[in-house]
Amino acid sequence: MTRGKIPEVLAPAGDMERLEAALRYGADAVYLGMDRFTMRSAPKNFTPEQLETACKKAHAQGARVYCTVNTLLKNEEVEGLPAFLHTAADCGVDAFIVADMGALMLARREVPQVEVHISTQAGVTNYLTARELFALGAKRVVLARELPLTEIAGIRKNTPPELELEVFVHGAMCVSFSGRCLLSNYFTGRDGNRGECAQPCRWRYHLVEETRPGQYFPITQEENGTYILNAKDLCLLPHLDKLRDAGVDSFKIEGRAKSAYYVAVASNAYRCAADLLREPVYDPPKWLLEEPDKLSHRPYSTGFLFGRPEDGQKIPGGYIRTWEAAGIVEGWEDGRLLCSQRNKFRLGDTLEALLPGKPPVKIPVTDLRDGEGEPIQATPHATMAFSIPWGEALPKGTILRFTPGEEARP
């Protein structure tokens, strides 16, 4: 474990901006992908040159980089895998995350200096499998998402202490077992097991009876149908002490396709929460428990942590979005924060500065100026320069956020 007995905080990095956000806001490690063999093809991912830069940035801050090799491999791809592994290893990655037994064994032979972690896609649900994977050279197992706390503790009790256990603590959950889903491929030809999921579990469905073609009936009483496969999001921030006590070594945040704002807020929240595990009693303050609600999310759940998910696990479609990034702090001069815009806000709104390792700070926008110092009423142009008054400098890269339409508060 990193930081003494505190489990690692592992954040997603879909591109360089998101990697920098994760590092700025306290992640111990990031996981990312390149152009192939990755379960997330939607993000930009990393070229070899970018990966080398990413590893240098992370290592300079004492953080680690894990590269995904977690798709289901086809025959024609196997020949290119050794070169891919060597390229990533030369860039400085600390571990490969693999789902395929062949990829595990090849990585151990080709680049034995790089750790191998077993992906949740492998669906590890018991200590026997975990022990055998360790015997084959795996350093870590990312456990199946469907395991309750008691099963996690049982795996820890019956596996070598050198084998690290990683669990997902936050983010979207797949309706299928550990992400092994065929719906996307069936409906659209886009294979979810190869990083191209179209998320049909989030679509709206009606019921049709075989002898009544063309007659569609809501499965529930909602007039717009029902999202029968749409799962809640996972949030285990209030329960990190239980996971730590069960023997978990790494807290994993889902979301390589999510925004830099999402990565920053989630990384900061779980960093602050994990640090509280040093205290005799784990008791996150109210502001910290509220941080996940400031992300774009579906209603939250504890997933399978305490057994079978609660009733109402399936929910209507759509996200809850109450907060947005307003801008990024670029500097401070003459009592003003110099910033670049991310979303339009107005004079009179109240911003919040998301500070690494600290509660957010409210900043009423009592004066708003453009990059030339001229007074303006709003920030309508993408990435435009603006400044607002503030009595002290904030770290470069600090995210300013707001609730759209919110009036300034004292």
Side-chain angles (χ1 to χ4, degrees):
M1 296 187 196
T2 60
R3 298 177 181 246
K5 295 184 178 180
I6 296 177
E8 169 189 85
V9 175
L10 176 57
D15 59 16
M16 191 66 75
E17 181 186 14
R18 284 170 267 195
L19 177 136
E20 291 173 345
L23 297 178
R24 182 176 299 115
Y25 285 94
D28 293 306
V30 296
Y31 64 102
L32 49 75
M34 294 177 69
D35 62 335
R36 292 175 293 163
F37 309 118
T38 179
M39 282 291 292
R40 293 293 181 269
S41 60
K44 294 179 181 178
N45 293 312
F46 290 76
T47 65
E49 295 75 20
Q50 291 171 332
L51 180 58
E52 184 175 8
T53 299
C55 290
K56 289 178 179 178
K57 285 177 179 283
H59 294 162
Q61 296 190 34
R64 289 158 57 85
V65 176
Y66 308 147
C67 181
T68 56
V69 190
N70 56 350
T71 54
L72 300 184
L73 298 173
K74 293 185 176 181
N75 285 332
E76 61 266 24
E77 294 176 309
V78 171
E79 185 176 347
L81 185 55
F84 178 93
L85 295 173
H86 280 282
T87 296
D90 291 343
C91 289
V93 300
D94 298 284
F96 292 109
I97 304 174
V98 307
D100 183 272
M101 184 65 69
L104 164 63
M105 303 310 294
L106 185 66
R108 298 307 301 137
R109 289 195 299 269
E110 294 285 335
V111 284
Q113 74 277 18
V114 181
E115 292 179 6
V116 179
H117 300 175
I118 304 301
S119 170
T120 190
Q121 297 293 118
V124 177
T125 60
N126 62 79
Y127 65 81
L128 175 62
T129 301
R131 284 199 309 221
E132 294 301 328
L133 289 167
F134 177 72
L136 292 172
K139 174 66 175 177
R140 178 182 296 186
V141 171
V142 188
L143 296 176
R145 302 191 195 202
E146 297 76 20
L147 290 180
L149 193 65
T150 52
E151 292 293 306
I152 295 171
I155 292 173
R156 176 73 286 164
K157 181 180 178 180
N158 292 283
T159 51
E162 296 82 7
L163 176 66
E164 298 174 355
L165 301 183
E166 178 179 308
V167 299
F168 279 90
V169 296
H170 193 92
M173 292 191 289
C174 181
V175 70
S176 294
F177 173 68
S178 290
R180 290 295 188 97
C181 181
L182 300 177
L183 286 177
S184 180
N185 205 351
Y186 179 79
F187 283 125
T188 71
R190 292 168 51 183
D191 193 342
N193 295 306
R194 296 179 58 77
E196 300 174 347
C197 184
Q199 295 194 321
C201 58
R202 311 299 181 186
W203 299 351
R204 187 173 66 204
Y205 292 89
H206 285 73
L207 177 68
V208 61
E209 199 274 324
E210 182 179 6
T211 63
R212 296 174 174 83
Q215 297 184 40
Y216 299 93
F217 303 95
I219 299 175
T220 69
Q221 296 302 310
E222 300 173 16
E223 63 179 20
N224 293 323
T226 184
Y227 294 80
I228 59 174
L229 302 175
N230 194 24
K232 293 180 179 179
D233 280 0
L234 180 69
C235 179
L236 299 183
L237 189 144
H239 307 292
L240 297 188
D241 56 334
K242 301 178 183 67
L243 289 166
R244 186 269 316 272
D245 294 345
V248 170
D249 296 278
S250 179
F251 298 145
K252 188 169 194 172
I253 301 167
E254 183 274 340
R256 276 195 287 153
K258 303 286 181 66
S259 67
Y261 170 73
Y262 169 94
V263 173
V265 175
S267 297
N268 193 55
Y270 282 89
R271 168 78 280 138
C272 292
D275 286 344
L276 291 176
L277 293 172
R278 292 190 177 95
E279 303 297 327
V281 177
Y282 178 69
D283 185 22
K286 182 174 182 290
W287 74 264
L288 186 52
L289 293 172
E290 291 174 349
E291 282 297 293
D293 293 328
K294 296 180 179 181
L295 293 166
S296 176
H297 66 283
R298 301 176 184 90
Y300 285 124
S301 163
T302 55
F304 292 82
L305 190 68
F306 301 110
R308 183 175 178 174
E310 67 272 16
D311 292 339
Q313 181 71 9
K314 306 300 184 291
I315 55 166
Y319 285 86
I320 301 169
R321 292 185 177 95
T322 55
W323 289 78
E324 294 179 354
I328 305 294
V329 173
E330 304 290 351
W332 184 85
E333 186 177 295
D334 297 330
R336 301 186 70 87
L337 292 173
L338 310 179
C339 312
S340 61
Q341 182 257 32
R342 291 299 180 269
N343 280 290
K344 180 181 178 181
F345 67 95
R346 299 179 181 278
L347 181 69
D349 285 341
T350 296
L351 306 184
E352 272 193 357
L354 181 66
L355 302 176
K358 300 178 181 179
V361 173
K362 294 190 181 302
I363 303 179
V365 183
T366 57
D367 180 66
L368 182 60
R369 303 192 181 193
D370 63 18
E372 303 299 321
E374 297 297 323
I376 54 176
Q377 295 296 308
T379 58
H381 305 300
T383 69
M384 67 176 287
F386 70 88
S387 70
I388 54 176
W390 192 243
E392 60 181 331
L394 296 179
K396 184 176 180 180
T398 296
I399 291 176
L400 303 177
R401 63 187 176 193
F402 75 121
T403 300
E406 179 182 356
E407 296 296 325
R409 292 173 291 183

